[in-house]
Amino acid sequence: MLTDAVDEGYLSAYATESDGKVAIVRGQRYRIGSVYVNDSSRSYAVGSVATAEAIRQVIERTVSRLQNDGYYFARATLTAIDKTESEVTLRIMAAPGPRVQAGQLVIEGLTRSDQVQVRRYLELESATVVTDAVLEDLARRAGGIDYLTFLPPVELQVRPGYTEADLRVRFQEKQQVRIAGGGGYGPDDEAGLVWHLDLALTNLFGGGRSVGVRSARPDRGRSQLNIEYSQPAFLLGLDRLSARVATRNVRDDFYEFGVEGEYRTRLTPQFALSVRSGWRRVEPEGPTAGYSAYRIGLGAERSTLDRPLNPAAGYRLETAIDY
């Protein structure tokens, strides 16, 4: 009970005993008046109740600030708590240690994928100072490779001397072939032979290329076929080029054929642009004349996440202009 009172900020609490009964006298509840790290004043947490949790957060914040400056193995220790009438002064001794720079980028788990291309996604320069922000950005980039599954976290492999560390990123390659579909034939049914087929090929030739084929015949005289292709590109940044060819045939009504293409580039981690265009030709049955339709579109996307691997903890805004 006495420990609980001290942890809640009653740092002068004490216990008394009378007639075999123990009572806890809490006394004054203290607040943090000032914080000194290596005899230098800090402003964070000033005014907070001096609970055990608040003091722990002050120490963690001290370490975090040093790590964000590249002192990844920094340590901090609370050496003294000086009490006045209602406030306390926290004195912390911080040992920054050596500043750590990035050595090699070690990529594991790839058997079919092109390592050179994966490194272009990650974009880590040698001699970069290792900070929490660098590791979070690297994890975000690794999680954004759509044809691979990133296995967090990014691990540090420290070299002798503690001034350099290799960064280890692990992946698992996604299933390369996926087939879904079904079909049937009823000799007494007017529809005859019907089917639906969905074929997806991912990471072809290890370069992140993908092909999708969807074919369906839901009824007699009705059929459709979609073929999609996409691949990474790096003209402006982390880009993606995709194309689609589609046909649709409705007997006694019309036949349709269309082609679409899109180029999408991510200029920054939060901002992406896209341009797309398409052409569609419709040929009706009978005397009605056919026609063509054209499409040109521009898109802008701004997105951010509170946590790189938690899409539910952020917001997404997408804007598109089509003609």
Side-chain angles (χ1 to χ4, degrees):
M1 293 175 63
L2 182 59
T3 301
D4 290 342
V6 173
D7 287 346
E8 292 174 4
Y10 300 96
L11 303 183
S12 298
Y14 61 93
T16 62
E17 181 181 0
S18 177
D19 298 329
K21 297 181 180 180
V22 177
I24 302 297
V25 180
R26 292 191 169 191
Q28 174 68 44
R29 196 178 197 189
Y30 288 83
R31 293 186 175 274
I32 299 175
S34 55
V35 177
Y36 286 89
V37 177
N38 294 349
D39 297 327
S40 295
S41 178
R42 297 290 186 269
S43 60
Y44 44 80
V46 172
S48 302
V49 176
T51 63
E53 177 64 20
I55 295 174
R56 182 186 65 81
Q57 290 180 3
V58 169
I59 297 173
E60 288 184 353
R61 189 168 181 179
T62 301
V63 173
S64 178
R65 287 193 167 191
L66 290 170
Q67 289 178 339
N68 284 334
D69 287 335
Y71 301 99
Y72 200 78
F73 299 102
R75 296 291 182 268
T77 305
L78 179 66
T79 58
I81 299 179
D82 300 331
K83 292 185 291 185
T84 61
E85 184 176 345
S86 61
E87 294 183 336
V88 296
T89 297
L90 304 181
R91 300 191 181 278
I92 298 173
M93 181 64 68
R99 208 172 195 191
V100 181
Q101 293 183 334
Q104 293 183 345
L105 180 61
V106 181
I107 299 175
E108 297 182 355
L110 303 184
T111 57
R112 302 186 303 270
S113 303
D114 184 356
Q115 280 219 16
V116 174
Q117 180 166 289
V118 173
R119 290 178 184 276
R120 295 183 72 176
Y121 274 100
L122 300 179
E123 290 185 347
L124 180 69
E125 297 181 0
S126 60
T128 298
V129 176
V130 178
T131 64
D132 284 342
V134 169
L135 296 181
E136 289 176 1
D137 182 67
L138 190 60
R140 179 192 58 77
R141 291 177 178 273
I145 304 177
D146 56 2
Y147 58 92
L148 298 175
T149 299
F150 169 54
L151 304 177
V154 176
E155 298 180 0
L156 267 69
Q157 297 177 330
V158 185
R159 296 183 180 183
Y162 291 89
T163 58
E164 283 188 318
D166 297 331
L167 304 185
R168 180 168 172 254
V169 184
R170 295 182 301 123
F171 292 100
Q172 180 179 346
E173 293 175 317
K174 294 183 179 179
Q175 182 177 347
Q176 197 167 21
V177 180
R178 179 180 59 84
I179 302 176
Y185 174 74
D188 299 328
D189 193 323
E190 292 184 359
L193 179 64
V194 297
W195 71 79
H196 172 78
L197 174 65
D198 191 346
L199 170 65
L201 304 177
T202 303
N203 196 18
L204 291 178
F205 311 112
R209 304 173 183 88
S210 63
V211 175
V213 178
R214 287 190 293 274
S215 175
R217 185 180 188 270
D219 199 354
R220 183 186 297 275
R222 295 178 57 194
S223 63
Q224 60 184 33
L225 173 65
N226 289 347
I227 301 176
E228 298 180 358
Y229 173 82
S230 69
Q231 70 172 52
F234 301 93
L235 294 179
L236 301 175
L238 299 178
D239 308 343
R240 192 87 183 171
L241 173 66
S242 59
R244 183 170 76 96
V245 177
T247 66
R248 190 164 51 135
N249 186 13
V250 179
R251 189 182 62 176
D252 300 331
D253 281 331
F254 65 89
Y255 173 78
E256 180 182 85
F257 177 81
V259 178
E260 293 183 359
E262 181 180 23
Y263 195 89
R264 185 175 185 273
T265 180
R266 181 163 291 281
L267 301 178
T268 70
Q270 294 82 27
F271 186 69
L273 292 175
S274 63
V275 58
R276 50 189 176 271
S277 62
W279 169 77
R280 182 166 56 98
R281 180 67 184 177
V282 178
E283 293 290 347
E285 292 291 335
T288 306
Y291 64 91
S292 295
Y294 301 89
R295 177 189 180 192
I296 299 176
L298 298 175
E301 178 185 319
R302 168 93 166 96
S303 63
T304 184
L305 300 176
D306 295 335
R307 297 179 181 178
L309 303 180
N310 184 10
Y315 65 86
R316 181 187 180 104
L317 175 64
E318 186 171 347
T319 303
I321 301 174
D322 284 332
Y323 169 76

